[in-house]
Amino acid sequence: MMDKNIIDSIRSQVAADIRLSPTADRLRIGTPLTFDDGDACSFFLIQQGEQLVLSDLGDIFTRADYQETDLRASGHRARFDRLLDFYGMREDSGQLVMAVAPDKMGGAIFSFAQASLELVRLARTPADRKKRAERKFRAKVGKLVRSLIPANKLDENWYDREEDPNKYYPVDYRIHGTTADWWVFGVGTSTKCLKATVTCQHYRLLKRKFRGVAIYKNEDELPKSATAPLDEIVERKFTRFGDDGAIAAFLENELSRT
């Protein structure tokens, strides 16, 4: 159990709206600050031998993972390291920690909270750029498909109204065929890769006849664990949208005649 004297010391140093919740081996500290998703910014005080440390217990990296952002990757590492250095934090086995003296607890708590907010903001900003890039990619794929496939043979954002009224298994572009439809997916992220795979697998289990096409923004930028299942289930893939000449030739010569 966290030493009662330490808890009393913290309560004497911080504002009344800081919530302290002791457990068997740590003290949860809840602050009035919130992340952009509305979650309260909270972390823990842990006794490590003779030293007290504040720790997020891996929460910051988990939040970054939700944004598909690696704070330790080359594009973020410099800013990430500067923030840790500025706030006196360090990384320890996937956790962010800050050593703190009992009589400096008040300032340390607010510094740790501010650092947490800035680090999550750092993780979110690249994700915003990714979303804009993904929208541009989808728009380019849509423009290419619409320019080559007659409107009466094309359904965008198609879903099966009988089998899937909740739109759990959408198809970017359904191109009508005489024996089987072509289903075209624009794939720019690991998440979209997974969704396309799940959609194809779902309808394969239902014995639906279709031929899948995956158009990657750049397959080399995605993990093999994400792309391999989709590659196995589609009949044709294009590894990079920059090869749009080959994609256009395929759409025009193969799909438009179905």
Side-chain angles (χ1 to χ4, degrees), residues 118-213:
E118 290 200 40
L119 287 164
V120 169
R121 192 175 299 118
L122 175 64
R124 189 189 68 246
T125 301
D128 290 342
R129 289 199 295 269
K130 285 182 181 180
K131 289 177 182 177
R132 289 195 295 270
E134 178 66 7
R135 286 196 294 268
K136 289 181 180 180
F137 165 66
R138 290 199 305 266
K140 289 179 180 179
V141 172
K143 182 178 180 180
L144 182 63
V145 172
R146 288 189 296 271
S147 70
L148 298 168
I149 305 301
N152 64 341
K153 300 180 72 173
L154 178 65
D155 294 320
E156 296 188 47
N157 301 313
W158 176 82
Y159 66 98
D160 190 310
R161 286 172 171 75
E162 294 183 2
E163 296 287 350
D164 181 32
N166 293 316
K167 306 180 184 180
Y168 293 137
Y169 307 101
V171 177
D172 291 353
Y173 304 97
R174 175 197 180 203
I175 300 172
H176 300 257
T178 53
T179 58
D181 295 336
W182 286 96
W183 290 2
V184 181
F185 300 90
V187 183
T189 65
S190 297
T191 299
K192 183 55 185 289
C193 197
L194 175 61
K195 288 181 178 178
T197 303
V198 169
T199 292
C200 291
Q201 289 176 336
H202 172 76
Y203 285 107
R204 285 285 172 86
L205 291 174
L206 294 179
K207 308 298 183 183
R208 177 68 59 85
K209 290 184 178 180
F210 68 92
R211 293 165 289 184
V213 181

Side-chain angles (χ1 to χ4, degrees), residues 22 24 27 108 126 213 225-226:
L27 178 69
V213 181
S225 59

Side-chain angles (χ1 to χ4, degrees), residues 13 27 38 40 45 55-56 94 103 110-111 126 147 164 178 229-230:
Q13 295 178 54
L27 178 69
L45 179 68
S55 172
D56 74 327
D103 61 341
F110 286 102
S111 291
S147 70
D164 181 32
T178 53
L230 182 59

Side-chain angles (χ1 to χ4, degrees), residues 29-150:
I29 300 172
T31 77
L33 303 175
T34 60
F35 297 107
D36 287 348
D37 61 4
D39 287 350
C41 179
S42 61
F43 37 88
F44 297 85
L45 179 68
I46 302 173
Q47 183 88 47
Q48 292 185 346
E50 298 297 319
Q51 188 178 49
L52 289 170
V53 298
L54 295 172
S55 172
D56 74 327
L57 296 185
D59 182 57
I60 300 302
F61 285 127
T62 298
R63 290 177 178 275
D65 287 343
Y66 288 154
Q67 301 289 342
E68 298 185 356
T69 299
D70 183 358
L71 290 171
R72 291 163 289 196
S74 58
H76 311 89
R77 185 82 213 197
R79 174 65 174 160
F80 174 69
D81 287 342
R82 284 197 298 271
L83 283 171
L84 294 194
D85 183 63
F86 179 81
Y87 286 104
M89 302 171 73
R90 60 183 172 83
E91 181 186 351
D92 182 8
S93 301
Q95 302 179 37
L96 297 180
V97 300
M98 175 191 293
V100 56
D103 61 341
K104 304 291 185 183
M105 200 67 68
I109 286 173
F110 286 102
S111 291
F112 199 95
Q114 185 62 37
S116 298
L117 295 176
E118 290 200 40
L119 287 164
V120 169
R121 192 175 299 118
L122 175 64
R124 189 189 68 246
T125 301
D128 290 342
R129 289 199 295 269
K130 285 182 181 180
K131 289 177 182 177
R132 289 195 295 270
E134 178 66 7
R135 286 196 294 268
K136 289 181 180 180
F137 165 66
R138 290 199 305 266
K140 289 179 180 179
V141 172
K143 182 178 180 180
L144 182 63
V145 172
R146 288 189 296 271
S147 70
L148 298 168
I149 305 301

